[in-house]
Amino acid sequence: GAVVSQHPSWVICKSGTSVKIECRSLDFQATTMFWYRQFPKQSLMLMATSNEGSKATYEQGVEKDKFLINHASLTLSTLTVTSAHPEDSSFYICSASGRGRDGANVLTFGAGSRLTVL
Amino acid sequence: AQTVTQSQPEMSVQEAETVTLSCTYDTSESNYYLFWYKQPPSRQMILVIRQEAYKQQNATENRFSVNFQKAAKSFSLKISDSQLGDTAMYFCAFMKHVNFGNEKLTFGTGTRLTIIP
């Protein structure tokens, strides 16, 4: 149980275009979702926290107009990289938290999405 | 603010041996969670073990165990009988206890562990 599906797993786009990454909790309701960015051989950097039905809370230094986060339902959050540029190329990971079917707290990560901007 | 420090960027050990990964943290919170996550080459984050700070007993999960020293703010991971599949990046992480899952994880910089056949 407690599976998080993240799509696409990799995407290549041209500079100036926008890219949407989806994060879905498959068997539990995710009240909170987190979006991270990871550069090669580095740790995970939290970008923003989103709670279902409310605006995301962005970490300091993260451009909210650049990285649009929507958490419209208890099973889906999306990250849209707007007007992507080569420096946005990175590995993006989501995690979702909520309660599993047994009522226990769950916190699970998606498999990540590799974005390459040409 | 919380900080998590992993002072060993890389480690390697022979298969079947035991290895210990270090982690220290700094916080003013009295209650919190500590985690070890594994990130293999697939880059999927996998929970290895979790410790609640108010529990004095060290958490164990099969070959994985922790040495939690609350006063010293230390949280090391011991891997016994290491296997080739243990080769991965290992991250230590901290979460405030206020409301599990609604609080963010603060990660250390990671330790790259290689198991040598």
Side-chain angles (χ1 to χ4, degrees), chain A residues 43-74:
Chain A
S43 188
L44 280 72
M45 254 182 30
L46 180 66
M47 299 174 67
T49 303
S50 73
N51 292 296
E52 183 265 337
S54 58
K55 289 184 178 180
T57 302
Y58 290 81
E59 294 297 299
Q60 193 171 6
V62 177
E63 299 175 62
K64 57 181 69 176
D65 294 331
K66 173 77 166 174
F67 299 99
L68 299 179
I69 291 170
N70 183 280
H71 191 170
S73 78
L74 283 171

Side-chain angles (χ1 to χ4, degrees), chain A residues 89-106:
Chain A
S89 297
S90 191
F91 192 68
Y92 294 88
I93 307 175
C94 72
S95 71
S97 69
R99 290 198 180 271
R101 291 179 181 175
D102 60 356
N105 290 317
V106 295

